[in-house]
């Protein structure tokens, strides 16, 4: 079954990947809404996990038309990039495939362009 998730390897650490990604997103005028430090919160609770952080970002100008066309899209917007380290120490950036989101929520295909640019920005962050 297609999970609708794209996994991109990063040659950088989790913190460095996040800094690079945030910088690129801000340069393009996107808003960083939040950073969720899953592994940091786990540590505070006395649990141990590999570095894992979620970046929530987007543009109300781009995302709002999708949510107007398909209100359920709001559960997946703003966009998210999960930066995580696997058990072998490899770092990944995972995000929802834009076409999967379009199929999942049924917004018009012509609005897909509003979210497809994030893929190129994520790819640039791991170069």
């Amino acid at each position: 079954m297609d999970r609708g998730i794209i996994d991109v390897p990063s040659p950088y650490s989790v913190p460095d990947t996040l800094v690079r990604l945030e910088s690129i997103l801000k340069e393009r005028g996107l808003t960083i809404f939040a950073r969720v430090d899953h592994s940091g919160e786990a540590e505070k609770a006395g649990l141990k996990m590999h570095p894992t952080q979620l970046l929530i970002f987007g543009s109300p100008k781009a995302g709002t038309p999708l949510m107007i066309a398909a209100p359920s899209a709001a559960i997946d917007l703003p966009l998210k990039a999960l930066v995580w380290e696997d058990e072998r120490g490899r770092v990944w950036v995972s995000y929802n495939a834009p076409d999967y989101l379009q199929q999942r929520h049924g917004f018009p295909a012509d609005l897909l362009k509003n979210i497809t640019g994030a893929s190129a920005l994520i790819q640039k962050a791991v170069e």
Side-chain angles (χ1 to χ4, degrees):
M1 180 161 110
D2 181 10
R3 301 177 316 139
I5 297 173
I6 297 172
D7 298 311
V8 179
S10 174
Y12 308 102
S13 68
V14 168
D16 289 347
T17 300
L18 282 161
V19 166
R20 292 174 62 85
L21 182 55
E22 283 185 351
S23 175
I24 289 168
L25 294 172
K26 287 177 184 175
E27 283 174 11
R28 298 296 162 94
L30 296 170
T31 301
I32 306 298
F33 292 103
R35 187 195 280 199
V36 180
D37 185 355
H38 291 294
S39 52
E41 293 301 316
E43 187 176 333
K44 289 178 188 176
L47 303 169
K48 198 163 168 73
M49 70 183 293
H50 293 284
T52 304
Q53 293 191 38
L54 180 71
L55 191 64
I56 302 172
F57 66 94
S59 163
K61 187 174 181 179
T64 302
L66 278 73
M67 293 183 278
I68 291 170
S72 65
I75 200 163
D76 287 316
L77 297 174
L79 296 173
K80 296 159 195 73
L82 180 67
V83 183
W84 58 285
E85 181 182 287
D86 69 16
E87 64 281 345
R88 293 183 180 158
R90 294 177 299 190
V91 174
W92 300 89
V93 181
S94 300
Y95 63 98
N96 287 316
D99 58 334
Y100 177 83
L101 293 178
Q102 192 272 325
Q103 292 170 10
R104 180 176 184 188
H105 300 290
F107 55 80
D110 66 317
L111 291 177
L112 197 54
K113 67 185 181 312
N114 291 28
I115 58 173
T116 55
S119 299
L121 300 178
I122 289 169
Q123 189 62 47
K124 186 175 180 181
V126 300
E127 291 178 346

